Amino acid sequence: MSHYDFYQNRECEYFPCHEGADPEEFSCLFCYCPLYALGENCGGSFDYTEQGIKDCTRCLKPHRRENYQRILDKMPALLELAKKRPKSGEKP
């Protein structure tokens, strides 16, 4: 077992920030999920609100130690997304 794939901040006023999560197994390492920007391709459990906002409150994938490598495996897709530039004359 590695030690860099799990982190907890039990002093956080929101810990654990997902209802029903097991505090003993809850990792805060990816407090803000890096895969959020991938939209439907993130691989997590999410819904969209009526306003079209992605709602990840029922997703625990980034908060489980066993998913650390799965998140890292999706980083190339995030990097590709970040490299996209607007076409000439378009606003970002």
Side-chain angles (χ1 to χ4, degrees):
M1 173 170 40
S2 53
H3 296 282
Y4 54 81
D5 59 0
F6 186 86
Y7 167 76
Q8 282 190 333
N9 180 7
R10 289 183 172 260
E11 293 183 25
C12 175
E13 58 270 29
Y14 302 107
F15 182 85
C17 60
H18 290 261
E19 190 175 319
D22 179 357
E24 298 304 314
E25 299 294 322
F26 193 87
S27 177
C28 304
L29 185 63
F30 296 117
C31 176
Y32 292 97
C33 183
L35 305 181
Y36 182 88
L38 294 178
E40 294 178 346
N41 298 317
C42 71
S45 303
F46 62 89
D47 296 304
Y48 283 102
T49 66
E50 289 181 18
Q51 294 78 25
I53 298 169
K54 189 174 170 187
D55 176 6
C56 306
T57 54
R58 63 183 185 92
C59 184
L60 292 173
K61 289 190 179 185
H63 301 293
R64 292 187 179 135
R65 172 179 259 148
E66 64 267 18
N67 292 325
Y68 175 82
Q69 189 58 50
R70 290 183 188 125
I71 289 174
L72 292 186
D73 290 344
K74 288 201 171 247
M75 286 300 173
L78 268 176
L79 294 173
E80 284 302 314
L81 187 63
K83 285 196 301 187
K84 291 186 178 180
R85 294 183 175 178
K87 295 178 183 170
S88 182
E90 288 182 357
K91 291 185 178 182

